[in-house]
Amino acid sequence: SKLTFILRDSLGGNAKTTLIVNCSPHVNNIDETISTLQFAGRAKLVTNIAKVNKLRSAQELTAIIAKLNKEIEHLKLYIGQLETKLCQAVPNLDLTSLKQAATQQTPTASPALPSLTP
C-alpha cells in the first residue's frame, strides 16, 4: 500500500517503532477504516531484531587501521606484480598514460575491468 511504501524505512531496521491507528465509526469512512486496520495487521507482522551498535576503544580502532594499512600495502605489491606481468605480455604498452587516464576518470564512469582469473 502507499502507506507501507511511505513508512518502509520506519518499519524496519535497528529501531523500535510504535504505530497508532485511527479509525472512524462513521459509515462514510468504512473503506478507509478497513484498509487502515488491514495495514495495522500487516505492520504487526513486521519483526525486527535490534542490535546495539558496537563502541570500540582507541586501541581497537588503531588495530583496525593498522590491519587495513597492511592490506593496502599488500594490494599495492600485488598491483605492481600485475603491472610487471602486463608489461611483459604487452611489450609496447604505455602504462604511465593508462594510469593517468584512470586517475582522471570519475569512479562512476570508470570502465569495468576484465577478469584476471582463468
Side-chain angles (χ1 to χ4, degrees), residues 64-116:
I64 291 171
I65 291 170
K67 180 182 173 186
L68 292 173
N69 282 332
K70 186 175 181 180
E71 184 179 352
I72 289 171
E73 290 303 317
H74 173 73
L75 292 172
K76 284 180 180 179
L77 290 172
Y78 181 67
I79 289 171
Q81 291 171 356
L82 291 176
E83 287 175 347
T84 302
K85 288 181 181 180
L86 184 61
C87 288
Q88 290 171 354
V90 184
N92 295 329
L93 182 67
D94 184 11
L95 201 55
T96 306
S97 63
L98 285 176
K99 285 182 182 180
Q100 287 175 349
T103 57
Q104 292 174 356
Q105 291 180 347
T106 59
T108 56
S110 62
L113 296 175
S115 175
L116 298 177

Side-chain angles (χ1 to χ4, degrees), residues 36 43-44 46-47 59:
T36 300
K44 273 180 72 173
V46 174
T47 57
Q59 289 176 335

Side-chain angles (χ1 to χ4, degrees), residues 7-64:
L7 295 174
R8 72 183 180 277
D9 293 331
S10 299
L11 293 175
N14 197 13
K16 189 171 189 169
T17 304
T18 302
L19 183 66
I20 298 172
V21 177
N22 284 329
C23 298
S24 173
H26 198 273
V27 174
N28 291 343
N29 298 328
I30 191 84
D31 292 333
E32 189 172 337
T33 298
I34 290 172
S35 68
T36 300
L37 290 172
Q38 289 172 342
F39 168 75
R42 287 190 307 271
K44 273 180 72 173
L45 299 175
V46 174
T47 57
N48 288 345
I49 300 173
K51 61 177 182 171
V52 178
N53 293 332
K54 188 173 185 179
L55 294 176
R56 297 179 186 228
S57 68
Q59 289 176 335
E60 289 175 315
L61 294 174
T62 304
I64 291 171

